[in-house]
Amino acid sequence: MTEDLDKTVMSVVWPWRRRQSSSADTSAKELLRRSLIQGLVMMTVGAVVFFGFRHRLGASILLCLAAFVLISARLAPRLYSAFQRALDALVGWISTGITWLLLVPFFYLCFVPGRLLLLLLRRDPMRRRWPCPDSTCWQAHADLPEDHFKRQF
């Protein structure tokens, strides 16, 4: 029972995780549609690189990859799928690397000095001081009007 409920909830929350229908026509159509979109995007970016930035090598690489994607999806779908998996793995590695290269220095350059500054100024905007001055740690707030929930913005 709970397993069926979990599958239903998962299909609502993450519809992209539903299994594709197993018919060859649907997967072939999806493969062709995906490759057409990828190929057109690569060709467009290649054209921008060539005409906008006058960079022939980058444009040539992008146009060759676009041709490979378009041709391999139609003539060798297994080759296209392997290329797609390799590309997904590469993107995962690059995004992990960029995350570590950008967010770690950002943390140490922004949050640590900010915390040290708050300590130096003896400020505690979140009122995290322990033990709290009151015995119950309760903070009194001003009473809200009865219709405060009607005007949320």
Side-chain angles (χ1 to χ4, degrees):
M1 172 87 178
T2 59
E3 194 171 306
D4 294 335
L5 181 63
D6 289 342
K7 288 180 182 177
T8 306
V9 170
M10 186 176 73
S11 67
V12 170
V13 176
W14 299 296
W16 54 270
R17 292 194 66 177
R18 273 185 279 177
R19 292 204 177 257
Q20 301 271 332
S21 62
S22 60
S23 68
D25 294 335
T26 305
S27 62
K29 284 181 182 178
E30 179 64 26
L31 184 77
L32 293 175
R33 185 183 69 81
R34 183 180 297 165
S35 68
L36 183 63
I37 292 170
Q38 286 177 342
L40 290 175
V41 167
M42 281 190 231
M43 284 192 281
T44 304
V45 172
V48 167
V49 167
F50 181 75
F51 293 113
F53 298 108
R54 306 281 185 219
H55 196 281
R56 292 181 188 209
L57 180 63
S60 299
I61 291 172
L62 282 170
L63 292 176
C64 287
L65 282 173
F68 173 77
V69 164
L70 291 172
I71 292 170
S72 68
R74 280 152 184 77
L75 299 179
R78 292 173 118 181
L79 179 65
Y80 172 73
S81 295
F83 175 74
Q84 189 65 37
R85 282 192 306 274
L87 194 62
D88 290 344
L90 178 67
V91 166
W93 294 335
I94 290 172
S95 61
T96 301
I98 288 175
T99 298
W100 280 96
L101 288 174
L102 293 179
L103 291 181
V104 170
F106 179 79
F107 176 82
Y108 285 109
L109 291 174
C110 294
F111 291 108
V112 171
R115 176 65 181 147
L116 292 175
L117 182 67
L118 286 174
L119 283 174
L120 195 74
L121 297 175
R122 296 184 183 266
R123 300 229 175 170
D124 190 13
M126 293 175 57
R127 298 181 184 150
R128 297 182 308 149
R129 187 178 57 182
W130 186 261
C132 40
D134 300 330
S135 60
T136 62
C137 296
W138 181 261
Q139 297 173 8
H141 294 283
D143 290 335
L144 296 173
E146 295 247 350
D147 62 342
H148 73 280
F149 56 86
K150 293 180 181 177
R151 300 188 61 179
Q152 297 179 14
F153 305 105

